Amino acid sequence: MTDYSEEQRNELEALESIYPDSFTVLSENPTCFTITVTSEAGENDETVQTTLKFTYGEKYPDEMPRYEIFSQENLEDNDVSDIVKLLELQAEENLGMVMIFTLVSAVQEKLNEIVDQIKTRREEEKKQKEKEAEEAERQCFHGTPVTIENFLSWKAKFDAELLEIKRKRMKEEEQAGKNKLSGKQLFETDHNLDTSDIQFLEDVGNSVEVDESLFQELDDLELEDEEDDPDYNPVDLESD
């Protein structure tokens, strides 16, 4: 007859020796304990971690232990689901034998794979960003290749915009012409223009000052009389 209690007690002692820093007993009846499993450090020292909780049944190891993810760090939901499936598979394969060490070792390998996947994913994201940056830089220097189709499309758009500008300009000029008043219309709308020139002359005339000292009396001027000139000859004037 199998002594289940003895097998369980021996396994607990072995687990405590193998995992001294991560093994914790939660209760003795039923026997319940946790083991924290941490991945190896990745390229940038990142790690993923999970704490597994196990509970022995009365007939363990001939019946599977109860197990669950007690806590986790840096794991995504799909990673947690994968770990639970892995535990189920390993428990079925090892039924009838003490299996906690086997289950924990399988989870340890899985966590290491997850870290490697994180590294690969980051490298792919980095390459993708570099590729996109190179493509953007190439587009800046080369632009979009000109084809008949995109040139005709651009020209049609350009001609439409140019035609619209011309229409607006003609409309503005036409409107400006309608708003411009003729001379007659200006006089009809502003009666001050009738007397503006006269008023200007009067204002200017009133403001002009004449300095009489600048003019001399005609009597003071010495004018030569042509008849007093000894060379004067009226005949000569008539002949001219």
Side-chain angles (χ1 to χ4, degrees), residues 14-33:
L15 292 173
E16 187 175 7
S17 176
I18 297 171
Y19 306 107
D21 299 326
S22 59
F23 176 83
T24 302
V25 175
L26 300 180
S27 66
E28 294 182 355
N29 188 21
T31 302
C32 180
F33 56 92

Side-chain angles (χ1 to χ4, degrees), residues 1-10 56-63:
M1 182 177 179
T2 304
D3 189 350
Y4 297 113
S5 298
E6 182 69 19
E7 290 195 28
Q8 294 174 13
R9 186 167 51 254
N10 292 337
Y56 287 155
E58 290 183 0
K59 295 182 179 181
Y60 172 83
D62 285 340
E63 64 180 12

